[in-house]
Amino acid sequence: MDDFKTIGIIGLGLIGGSYARKLTSIGHRVVAIDINQETINYGLNEKMIIEGSTHDYSVLEQADIVISCLYPKVFIQEMPKFINHFKENCVLTDVTGVKSEVVYLIKDMLPKSIHFIPSHPMAGKEVLGVKNSNGEIFNGCNFLITPFIDSNEQAIEIIESLASDLDCKTIARITPERHDEVISFTSQLTHAIAMSLMNVVDDIEMRQFTGDSFRELTRIANIDEVLWSELFLMNKKQLVNQIDNFKDELESLKQCIQKEEIDLLKNKMITSSEKQIAFLNK
Amino acid sequence: MDDFKTIGIIGLGLIGGSYARKLTSIGHRVVAIDINQETINYGLNEKMIIEGSTHDYSVLEQADIVISCLYPKVFIQEMPKFINHFKENCVLTDVTGVKSEVVYLIKDMLPKSIHFIPSHPMAGKEVLGVKNSNGEIFNGCNFLITPFIDSNEQAIEIIESLASDLDCKTIARITPERHDEVISFTSQLTHAIAMSLMNVVDDIEMRQFTGDSFRELTRIANIDEVLWSELFLMNKKQLVNQIDNFKDELESLKQCIQKEEIDLLKNKMITSSEKQIAFLNK
């Protein structure tokens, strides 16, 4: 961003804390709301925020940008509490991993004078909480912005600047529906696969024989059940569809093996190799 | 190994070349057979081997240990050519990724004076050929030895020393059948999943939205179709079984999502998280 702003963060956890650290480090003024006084104290002690409260939402009144880092359901439920504390022409954004089921509900709550520009920094860690926050987790990640048809162009650009401030690599504008389709494949299906691969192990001795590939395929099997059960269920239709497509492809591979259709099997391997190289060189 | 030995390598490709580099670097004398004269010349120029030939198999006659680095089918097919060139009490091993369908056939070809101790260094790379070989790829990997009931203990210990020379981490003795069960899960199922995830993408635009998790889950989708079609088909029964188990687990996850059984869904996430942490700390 060209000029330094006051940024309000609602929910100072892993992601909110990481935003606070990064934005403070490059000169913005960051204020925060969190339900936990210890979290606010930690943020103040670490100099990640200059002000914060568990109950006095008026700290948000100075913010040019407000970032809700709440889990999807809490975001929908708690937003009414904050609305009267947003200053006029404030830009509100979020970090929610599903969009269609969330953003229209939020938009409907807001007065016209507040610009809600939903976004999703595709970054995360296997650990939670402000104490694990790290300003560098956004470095090189994808940042998806899902504006509405009638969104204010200047407000969108403010969120694009925010993404640049975080050092995100790809900053893209897509519709909420397309976002949810993309995410159902690139993030939710991969987590569903990792979880299932981990859960299918009932032979504890296997442990000593696993190598790099198993470790890589299951790193994200360590998953926060509160957040991810919401994300999965709020994007149910798309995710179920992705799981079905993937299962069909795996079944087709299995059929090749079972029927010893070696040419088909080799073709699948050649295709996956070519695609893997193409994806790497995206 | 306590003393330096002469080691013969049959097939100086990625794995054979990596063996040659590592074993030469710690003082052994390495000789090699390969079908390609250029490969032999490269090995000599790089000082990975001290002698090599495409046709004069008598170079193997000096070897205390012979390591076949051939693909499984070629190993079975070509072994008769080499048998008369093994010196008495020589220990023969291999690197084959499937055992039951290979090792009994090979054993039956050999005279009693040759000790065949099959093994499998669980290391690899996405690239092929001697020019990509690297003596460090075995560092920290699992090394599985599948001796026969009547194998000579001293010969087994020689192969264990070889694995130590390679700096392998876990060196384990298991039966050929257990090896194939282990491998069907820890290596073959993971490759089948990675391939299928890669192959299911028909939306090229997805590329720009993939992140770490997709990249990690598909790294091994780049797979040599000649080798891996053999490995899959030679372990067909076990692999089909693993794919079925995995598909069932994924279907069960899908059912939770579809029926919005949130407690079951959360339980699956809690279990996969706990298992992932337990596996990491193995």
Side-chain angles (χ1 to χ4, degrees):
Chain A
M1 263 175 257
D2 299 336
D3 49 342
F4 298 128
K5 293 200 156 62
T6 298
I7 296 171
I9 291 177
I10 305 175
L12 199 66
L14 174 75
I15 299 294
S18 299
Y19 264 101
R21 282 190 198 276
K22 180 67 184 180
L23 296 172
T24 294
S25 78
I26 59 174
H28 297 294
R29 300 175 72 249
V30 179
V31 300
I33 297 291
D34 195 273
I35 46 166
N36 192 330
Q37 186 62 46
E38 258 183 70
T39 300
I40 294 296
N41 293 345
Y42 182 87
L44 291 167
N45 283 336
E46 290 276 305
K47 302 198 189 332
M48 296 157 55
I49 60 174
I50 52 162
E51 211 176 316
S53 177
T54 56
H55 55 281
D56 180 7
Y57 304 151
S58 71
V59 296
L60 295 172
E61 287 165 14
Q62 48 192 312
D64 306 299
I65 303 174
V66 173
I67 307 168
S68 162
C69 299
L70 302 173
Y71 283 7
K73 284 197 175 168
V74 179
F75 182 28
I76 294 166
Q77 201 177 295
E78 301 295 313
M79 198 38 46
K81 289 187 190 167
F82 304 112
I83 287 175
N84 292 331
H85 299 282
F86 295 150
K87 80 171 175 190
E88 203 162 332
N89 275 316
C90 155
V91 181
L92 171 68
T93 191
D94 66 332
V95 299
T96 317
V98 286
K99 293 303 185 196
S100 317
E101 297 275 315
V102 176
V103 299
Y104 299 106
L105 289 174
I106 299 290
K107 191 181 187 228
D108 285 346
M109 294 178 197
L110 295 167
K112 284 255 180 284
S113 62
I114 308 300
H115 304 288
F116 177 38
I117 309 294
S119 64
H120 178 198
M122 289 179 67
K125 274 171 91 173
E126 297 84 50
V127 284
L128 300 175
V130 69
K131 290 185 181 168
N132 289 306
S133 65
N134 176 345
E136 300 312 309
I137 63 169
F138 308 107
N139 199 332
C141 83
N142 296 321
F143 191 96
L144 305 183
I145 303 174
T146 64
F148 303 96
I149 294 170
D150 59 352
S151 286
N152 178 293
E153 176 61 27
Q154 213 184 328
I156 302 174
E157 285 167 14
I158 286 172
I159 299 305
E160 285 173 344
S161 289
L162 180 74
S164 297
D165 282 351
L166 297 174
D167 297 324
C168 295
K169 189 184 57 181
T170 308
I171 302 169
R173 296 183 190 191
I174 55 176
T175 65
E177 293 71 24
R178 176 66 174 154
H179 169 275
D180 290 351
E181 192 187 348
V182 163
I183 243 45
S184 71
F185 180 74
T186 62
S187 166
Q188 297 189 327
L189 176 61
T190 50
H191 281 79
I193 289 171
M195 277 178 62
S196 299
L197 181 59
M198 198 75 248
N199 282 344
V200 90
V201 187
D202 57 3
D203 179 344
I204 204 70
E205 209 203 39
M206 283 291 176
R207 243 191 242 187
Q208 67 180 293
F209 301 120
T210 56
D212 286 349
S213 67
F214 185 83
R215 212 164 18 249
E216 282 176 301
L217 264 77
T218 53
R219 182 184 60 87
I220 54 173
N222 184 351
I223 187 174
D224 172 33
E225 76 278 6
V226 178
L227 175 61
W228 282 87
S229 61
E230 284 185 23
L231 294 176
F232 276 15
L233 293 182
M234 288 176 120
N235 205 19
K236 186 172 87 161
K237 206 179 129 193
Q238 302 265 23
L239 177 55
V240 163
N241 186 32
Q242 298 291 356
I243 292 177
D244 279 335
N245 286 345
F246 172 75
K247 276 185 63 203
D248 288 349
E249 177 57 36
L250 195 58
E251 176 64 26
S252 145
L253 173 63
K254 193 192 87 182
Q255 294 291 333
C256 287
I257 297 165
Q258 217 157 20
K259 296 177 189 160
E260 305 205 359
E261 292 170 332
I262 191 156
D263 290 338
L264 268 176
L265 181 56
K266 282 185 179 171
N267 276 341
K268 281 187 185 291
M269 289 174 174
I270 292 168
T271 306
S272 74
S273 301
E274 286 171 354
K275 280 181 153 180
Q276 202 270 348
I277 292 165
F279 262 67
L280 266 190
N281 300 325
K282 67 177 174 180
Chain B
M1 265 176 255
D2 298 337
D3 51 342
F4 298 128
K5 292 200 156 60
T6 299
I7 296 171
I9 290 176
I10 305 175
L12 198 65
L14 174 74
I15 298 294
S18 299
Y19 264 101
R21 282 190 197 275
K22 181 66 186 182
L23 296 173
T24 293
S25 78
I26 59 175
H28 296 295
R29 300 174 72 247
V30 180
V31 299
I33 298 292
D34 195 275
I35 46 167
N36 192 330
Q37 185 62 50
E38 257 183 70
T39 300
I40 294 295
N41 294 344
Y42 182 87
L44 291 166
N45 284 337
E46 289 275 307
K47 301 198 188 332
M48 294 157 57
I49 60 174
I50 54 161
E51 211 175 316
S53 177
T54 57
H55 56 282
D56 180 6
Y57 304 152
S58 71
V59 297
L60 296 172
E61 286 164 14
Q62 49 193 310
D64 307 300
I65 303 174
V66 172
I67 306 167
S68 163
C69 299
L70 302 174
Y71 283 9
K73 284 196 177 168
V74 178
F75 181 29
I76 294 166
Q77 200 177 295
E78 302 293 314
M79 197 39 46
K81 288 186 188 167
F82 305 112
I83 288 175
N84 292 332
H85 298 283
F86 296 150
K87 79 172 176 189
E88 204 163 329
N89 276 315
C90 155
V91 181
L92 172 68
T93 192
D94 66 332
V95 299
T96 316
V98 287
K99 293 301 184 198
S100 317
E101 298 274 313
V102 176
V103 299
Y104 299 105
L105 290 174
I106 298 290
K107 189 178 190 232
D108 285 346
M109 295 179 196
L110 294 167
K112 285 255 178 286
S113 62
I114 309 300
H115 304 289
F116 178 38
I117 309 294
S119 65
H120 178 197
M122 290 180 67
K125 273 170 91 173
E126 298 83 51
V127 285
L128 299 176
V130 69
K131 290 183 182 170
N132 290 307
S133 65
N134 176 345
E136 301 311 310
I137 63 169
F138 308 108
N139 199 331
C141 84
N142 295 321
F143 191 96
L144 304 183
I145 304 174
T146 64
F148 302 97
I149 293 169
D150 60 351
S151 286
N152 178 294
E153 176 61 26
Q154 212 183 330
I156 302 174
E157 285 167 12
I158 286 173
I159 299 306
E160 285 174 342
S161 289
L162 180 73
S164 296
D165 282 352
L166 298 174
D167 298 324
C168 294
K169 189 184 57 182
T170 308
I171 303 169
R173 296 183 190 191
I174 54 176
T175 65
E177 293 70 26
R178 176 67 175 154
H179 169 275
D180 290 351
E181 192 187 348
V182 163
I183 244 43
S184 71
F185 180 75
T186 62
S187 166
Q188 297 190 326
L189 176 61
T190 51
H191 281 79
I193 290 171
M195 280 178 60
S196 299
L197 181 58
M198 197 75 248
N199 283 343
V200 89
V201 186
D202 57 2
D203 179 346
I204 203 70
E205 210 203 38
M206 282 292 176
R207 242 192 244 185
Q208 67 179 294
F209 302 119
T210 56
D212 286 349
S213 67
F214 185 82
R215 213 165 17 250
E216 283 176 300
L217 263 75
T218 54
R219 182 184 61 85
I220 55 173
N222 184 351
I223 186 173
D224 173 32
E225 74 280 5
V226 178
L227 174 61
W228 282 87
S229 61
E230 285 185 21
L231 294 176
F232 276 16
L233 294 183
M234 288 176 120
N235 205 20
K236 188 172 85 162
K237 206 180 127 191
Q238 302 266 23
L239 177 54
V240 164
N241 186 32
Q242 297 292 356
I243 292 176
D244 279 336
N245 287 345
F246 173 73
K247 277 185 63 202
D248 288 349
E249 177 58 35
L250 195 58
E251 177 64 26
S252 145
L253 174 63
K254 193 191 88 180
Q255 294 292 333
C256 288
I257 297 164
Q258 216 156 19
K259 297 177 188 158
E260 306 205 359
E261 293 170 332
I262 191 156
D263 290 338
L264 269 177
L265 180 57
K266 281 184 179 171
N267 277 340
K268 280 187 185 292
M269 290 175 174
I270 291 167
T271 305
S272 74
S273 301
E274 285 171 354
K275 280 182 154 181
Q276 202 271 348
I277 292 164
F279 262 67
L280 267 190
N281 300 328
K282 67 176 174 180

